[in-house]
């Protein structure tokens, strides 16, 4: 018993060495480290983002579904587009994280640090929810152009060759969208994108921070990678359930085409009505498996990278 207690104390002491004091990271560094964490995670989960987008566009307007399951989608993509096809839109995914995650994680961490007490006590759960909403909204506005490029690039492979947009990379997509459809198109679907980001970040950032705080209050966790992983998976599940209806709405709007000057959808409410009417209520959670399979690991990797980057930065500046 004494041996176990000593191990717990030693483990806790070791973990506390990895903690970065409140407000120890400069404001600008919080933004940069947040972006790097999001980009690092995206390299690993881009194929799942591709599958999620394909699943959400499958069976649009009551048409026959392209993919029966996530595994069927993966097999079909590999067969028709090859292994590298799984990484279609990676440049857009990285730019999205460089804009969206840099902003949201930087804003959230800055607000959290500024509102923590002098003894290091973090803000309460409802404050964290508010900070997550603000951070998500700011990040979404900045990241929407990269988001619409990502949606279109990942959706291209499901279309007949003569209907494909054929963007070479994210900057080609941004340039052509601006040239062919006008600069305002880069922010098409901004309202559902901002709404989704507010829901995602309120759920993700607040539940991660709160879950980590609760786990550390038990006798089973210390501030290490095991705690970060458990808190991230809890956060990912809550976020998936809460945000999927808004996400599929955003995906449909950003991928829609304008035919003879008439857009396929009038707005977010029109998407929801048509979606539920033609595909059923539970189609709002279409692609749940790849969404959680993508969001769970992405959440885990983002926060693990962020914790490590903050720790390395702090140690570097203190040496």
């Amino acid at each position: 018993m004494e041996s176990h207690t000593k191990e717990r104390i030693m483990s806790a002491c070791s973990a506390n060495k990895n903690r970065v004091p409140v407000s120890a990271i400069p404001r600008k560094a919080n933004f940069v480290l947040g972006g790097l964490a999001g980009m690092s995670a995206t390299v690993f989960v881009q194929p799942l983002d591709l599958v999620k987008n394909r699943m959400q566009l499958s069976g649009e307007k009551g048409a026959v579904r392209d993919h029966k399951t996530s595994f069927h989608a993966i097999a079909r993509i590999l067969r028709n587009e090859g292994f590298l096809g799984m990484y279609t839109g990676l440049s857009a995914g990285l730019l999205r994280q460089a804009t969206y995650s840099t902003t949201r994680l930087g804003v959230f961490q800055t607000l959290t640090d500024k509102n923590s007490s002098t003894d290091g006590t973090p803000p309460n759960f409802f404050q964290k929810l508010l900070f997550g909403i603000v951070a998500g909204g700011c990040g979404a506005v900045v990241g929407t152009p990269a988001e619409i490029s990502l949606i279109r690039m990942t959706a291209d492979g499901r279309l007949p060759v003569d209907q494909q947009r054929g963007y070479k990379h994210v900057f080609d997509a941004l340039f052509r969208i601006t040239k062919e459809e006008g600069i305002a198109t880069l922010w098409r679907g901004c309202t559902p994108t901002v709404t989704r980001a507010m829901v995602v970040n309120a759920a993700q950032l607040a539940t991660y921070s709160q879950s980590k705080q609760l786990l550390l209050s038990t006798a089973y966790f210390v501030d290490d990678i095991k705690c970060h992983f458990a808190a991230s998976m809890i956060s990912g599940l809550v976020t998936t359930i809460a945000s999927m209806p808004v996400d599929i709405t955003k995906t449909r709007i950003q991928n829609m085409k304008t035919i003879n000057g008439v857009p396929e959808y009038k707005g977010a409410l029109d998407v929801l009505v048509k979606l539920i009417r033609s595909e059923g209520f539970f189609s709002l959670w279409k692609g749940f498996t790849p969404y959680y399979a993508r969001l769970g690991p992405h959440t885990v990797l983002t926060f693990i990278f962020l914790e490590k980057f903050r720790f390395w930065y702090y140690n570097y500046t203190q040496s």
Side-chain angles (χ1 to χ4, degrees):
M1 185 71 178
E2 287 184 15
S3 174
H4 178 70
T5 303
K6 286 179 180 178
E7 286 178 8
R8 286 281 308 154
I9 293 172
M10 290 177 66
S11 179
C13 290
S14 174
N16 285 331
K17 290 180 182 178
N18 290 333
R19 287 195 177 186
V20 177
V22 173
S23 301
I25 307 294
R27 194 173 302 173
K28 291 180 180 178
N30 276 326
F31 283 83
V32 174
L33 297 178
L36 287 174
M39 292 173 75
S40 300
T42 292
V43 172
F44 292 91
V45 302
Q46 177 63 22
L48 295 170
D49 208 18
L50 174 76
V51 174
K52 183 267 294 183
N53 287 340
R54 295 283 178 92
M55 290 289 290
Q56 288 186 335
L57 293 169
S58 176
E60 194 171 8
K61 296 181 179 178
V64 177
R65 292 192 178 190
D66 299 322
H67 312 296
K68 299 174 184 176
T69 65
S70 303
F71 297 108
H72 178 253
I74 292 170
R76 190 167 181 177
I77 293 166
L78 288 172
R79 183 172 63 249
N80 296 338
E81 302 169 52
F83 177 76
L84 292 180
M86 296 294 294
Y87 280 88
T88 299
L90 178 60
S91 62
L94 292 173
L95 182 63
R96 178 178 180 274
Q97 293 302 322
T99 51
Y100 171 64
S101 282
T102 295
T103 304
R104 75 180 182 108
L105 293 176
V107 169
F108 183 79
Q109 193 62 54
T110 299
L111 290 173
T112 300
D113 288 349
K114 288 192 70 167
N115 290 276
S116 295
S117 60
T118 51
D119 64 356
T121 303
N124 63 46
F125 180 70
F126 293 103
Q127 286 178 300
K128 292 172 188 173
L129 276 177
L130 179 60
F131 299 160
I133 290 170
V134 173
C138 293
V141 173
V142 176
T144 296
E147 177 88 21
I148 195 169
S149 302
L150 175 63
I151 295 296
R152 291 185 175 196
M153 290 176 75
T154 54
D156 228 18
R158 61 183 284 274
L159 299 171
V161 176
D162 62 322
Q163 294 180 30
Q164 292 181 5
R165 293 181 171 104
Y167 300 134
K168 297 174 184 176
H169 46 73
V170 64
F171 297 109
D172 180 46
L174 293 171
F175 175 76
R176 282 183 49 194
I177 291 170
T178 302
K179 182 181 177 182
E180 297 168 9
E181 304 172 55
I183 194 168
T185 306
L186 293 176
W187 278 271
R188 176 187 287 170
C190 189
T191 300
T193 301
V194 169
T195 304
R196 173 195 176 274
M198 287 180 169
V199 173
V200 165
N201 285 275
Q204 187 184 61
L205 299 178
T207 55
Y208 172 80
S209 183
Q210 194 68 22
S211 297
K212 181 182 170 186
Q213 190 176 329
L214 290 172
L215 291 171
L216 289 173
S217 69
T218 70
Y220 304 102
F221 289 91
V222 293
D223 196 358
D224 59 7
I225 198 167
K226 184 176 74 172
C227 176
H228 304 160
F229 179 82
S232 297
M233 291 307 290
I234 294 169
S235 172
L237 180 61
V238 173
T239 305
T240 299
I241 294 169
S243 66
M244 277 208 73
V246 188
D247 190 73
I248 193 170
T249 303
K250 172 194 70 67
T251 300
R252 294 284 176 95
I253 288 177
Q254 292 182 325
N255 187 62
M256 74 176 178
K257 292 185 176 181
T258 301
I259 302 170
N260 296 324
V262 180
E264 294 179 76
Y265 301 108
K266 297 174 184 176
L269 184 60
D270 187 40
V271 174
L272 288 172
V273 170
K274 289 180 178 177
L275 185 65
I276 294 171
R277 184 183 297 157
S278 61
E279 301 172 50
F281 177 74
F282 289 103
S283 64
L284 293 174
W285 286 271
K286 184 187 290 183
F288 182 93
T289 302
Y291 190 99
Y292 180 58
R294 180 255 180 208
L295 187 63
H298 193 273
T299 304
V300 170
L301 291 169
T302 296
F303 285 118
I304 287 175
F305 278 125
L306 183 59
E307 300 270 10
K308 291 300 180 185
F309 289 159
R310 283 171 56 81
F311 174 67
W312 291 334
Y313 179 89
Y314 176 71
N315 277 359
Y316 176 77
T317 55
Q318 295 302 305
S319 61

